[in-house]
Amino acid sequence: MEEIIIDTEELDDEGPQLYEHHRFVVDKGQVPVRVDKYMCEKLTHSSRNRIQKAADAGFVHVNDRPVKSNYKVRPGDVVTLMLDRPQYDTTIEPEDIPLDVVYEDNEVMVINKPAGMVVHPGCGNFSGTLINAVAWHLRDNKDYDPNDPEVGLVHRIDKDTTGLLVIAKTPEAKSNLGLQFFNKTTHRSYLAIVWGNLTEDEGRIEGNITRDPKDRLRMTVTSPDSGIGKPAVTHYRVVERLGYVTLVECVLETGRTHQIRAHMKHIGHPLFADERYGGTEILRGERSSTYKAFIYNCFKVCPRQALHAQTLGFVHPKTGEQMDFTSPLPDDLAALIHKWHVYMKGNEYKQLIDLE
């Protein structure tokens, strides 16, 4: 196995991409054994020390989650080695996938991304991504090469986050837009449904974003003066109080990995239905079976983090015109809000309080 290098560079709301290099399914008759020893026996050209370093870096996964070297594999476990460089050919091929194109000219495209769509190939998603769809959409444009890093994505949003993205169709457009994002002159706002009734009508969250050492797929927040992680600032405003949850608008000063999700959890208000950050637990509300059934029905209506990239604003890279776009609420979030409206109306005789 080659020397393992961790790429700490991140782009917007997704972290470093990981690529599967090896996969093993533990035999039914396997006795419990440390994962580093198990992999050393499978990867005959690798040392146990290098496998342990890979585990420390978060590259050894069991059942899709990073584990430490002392994890003991059991029958049926799926053990994978994930590295931050591809093993496979990652050439982007055009795929006929529907796109919701909000705006398009010779320089830029603005796309409304649905939930469940990965924006770029990687980490087990080598096809079916937004970039594959863009490549198909622009297949007749001889000046657009989807494999040229000087065009394409300017920023990203998570797989299960919906909303607006801008694509650069020329190197000049990508350079110009990239500078706008770097200088924080773009405008991006998100709508989110969070657990709990926020004390203030608006606020500012400042805290560095860094990878959680206990879970490499999750981010955590550290003090701005800690020197750990990247500085991040989120502004929020209450749009509507819905009893045990709140609809908020979040405006980003920075674009860190999982920024809104990590910041809202940090202040005690995780996003509703956000499994990675604890939002699929019943964090506020009653103890009745009726209420629990209501919440589980809400999770079925919106089985993802309740987050939508609603607005996007930037200066057109060629004309200099201010471009502002707004995306309507997707059906699942609209249905979720409606369910809370109905619930609150049916419980008007109760005093809804935040059970912190």
Side-chain angles (χ1 to χ4, degrees):
M1 192 168 76
E2 300 177 14
E3 185 76 20
I4 293 171
I5 301 172
I6 303 175
D7 179 9
T8 58
E9 292 298 315
E10 297 170 351
L11 178 62
D12 201 60
D13 292 332
E14 292 186 2
Q17 295 181 17
L18 298 182
Y19 304 90
E20 181 180 307
H21 280 233
H22 297 280
R23 171 180 289 259
F24 309 102
V25 180
V26 180
D27 294 334
K28 293 181 180 180
Q30 175 70 53
V31 297
V33 62
R34 284 174 56 116
V35 69
D36 55 348
K37 182 178 179 180
Y38 174 83
M39 292 186 71
C40 191
E41 293 174 352
K42 297 290 184 180
L43 302 173
T44 56
H45 298 291
S46 299
S47 70
R48 190 167 177 179
N49 181 56
R50 285 189 173 180
I51 292 172
Q52 289 172 345
K53 287 182 178 180
D56 290 340
F59 295 151
V60 174
H61 291 203
V62 175
N63 303 327
D64 296 325
R65 289 187 175 275
V67 297
K68 298 299 183 182
S69 300
N70 61 358
Y71 175 91
K72 291 190 176 181
V73 300
R74 295 168 177 78
D77 277 350
V78 178
V79 181
T80 52
L81 176 64
M82 310 291 294
L83 298 181
D84 56 351
R85 56 184 182 274
Q87 177 186 21
Y88 308 105
D89 179 9
T90 55
T91 301
I92 296 169
E93 299 291 344
E95 296 181 44
D96 188 3
I97 302 169
L99 278 177
D100 182 3
V101 179
V102 176
Y103 174 84
E104 181 177 9
D105 59 28
N106 291 332
E107 283 71 39
V108 299
M109 288 175 62
V110 176
I111 296 170
N112 191 26
K113 189 187 83 68
M117 176 181 273
V118 176
V119 298
H120 194 281
C123 196
N125 298 286
F126 295 102
S127 63
T129 73
L130 181 139
I131 286 301
N132 295 109
V134 170
W136 176 271
H137 182 81
L138 299 177
R139 65 192 181 280
D140 296 327
N141 184 341
K142 296 180 179 179
D143 295 327
Y144 184 84
D145 179 1
N147 294 288
D148 182 356
E150 293 188 350
V151 296
L153 279 175
V154 180
H155 62 122
R156 305 183 187 185
I157 57 179
D158 293 337
K159 173 183 176 181
D160 288 325
T161 298
T162 53
L164 297 170
L165 284 163
V166 61
I167 302 290
K169 297 170 70 174
T170 68
E172 294 77 16
K174 186 165 184 179
S175 176
N176 183 289
L177 290 168
L179 193 61
Q180 291 185 50
F181 275 87
F182 179 80
N183 290 331
K184 305 174 186 176
T185 58
T186 59
H187 176 82
R188 287 177 291 165
S189 71
Y190 292 69
L191 283 179
I193 300 174
V194 302
W195 277 105
N197 188 11
L198 281 76
T199 304
E200 304 294 334
D201 287 337
E202 58 185 35
R204 180 179 187 272
I205 309 170
E206 181 176 6
N208 292 4
I209 302 288
T210 187
R211 202 157 292 280
D212 189 336
K214 297 179 181 179
D215 183 347
R216 298 286 299 175
L217 300 179
R218 184 173 62 194
M219 308 305 288
T220 191
V221 180
T222 61
S223 171
D225 57 4
S226 67
I228 301 173
K230 296 183 178 182
V233 176
T234 303
H235 300 268
Y236 69 85
R237 177 182 66 86
V238 171
V239 176
E240 185 175 10
R241 299 182 184 275
L242 297 168
Y244 298 121
V245 299
T246 304
L247 177 65
V248 297
E249 178 190 40
C250 295
V251 176
L252 300 179
E253 275 192 26
T254 53
R256 306 304 184 198
T257 303
H258 295 182
Q259 178 173 320
I260 293 173
R261 299 165 70 186
H263 268 174
M264 296 310 296
K265 178 178 175 60
H266 179 65
I267 66 169
H269 298 279
L271 268 62
F272 189 84
D274 189 348
E275 181 177 10
R276 189 160 303 285
Y277 290 87
T280 51
E281 301 293 328
I282 300 179
L283 301 178
R284 303 288 194 280
E286 305 166 13
R287 297 182 180 180
S288 68
S289 58
T290 301
Y291 178 74
K292 290 180 180 178
F294 164 73
I295 294 298
Y296 290 134
N297 283 332
C298 286
F299 290 152
K300 290 180 180 178
V301 166
C302 183
R304 64 176 180 95
Q305 68 259 15
L307 184 62
H308 176 61
Q310 183 186 39
T311 69
L312 173 63
F314 57 87
V315 174
H316 193 281
K318 187 171 184 178
T319 67
E321 178 186 357
Q322 177 65 37
M323 310 290 287
D324 292 296
F325 302 93
T326 300
S327 169
L329 269 179
D331 291 344
D332 57 355
L333 287 188
L336 178 60
I337 292 172
H338 175 71
K339 284 186 73 68
W340 277 100
H341 284 159
V342 172
Y343 177 81
M344 290 184 66
K345 187 174 182 180
N347 289 270
E348 286 178 348
Y349 62 93
K350 294 183 180 180
Q351 182 182 7
L352 294 178
I353 58 173
D354 184 16
L355 301 179
E356 293 191 274

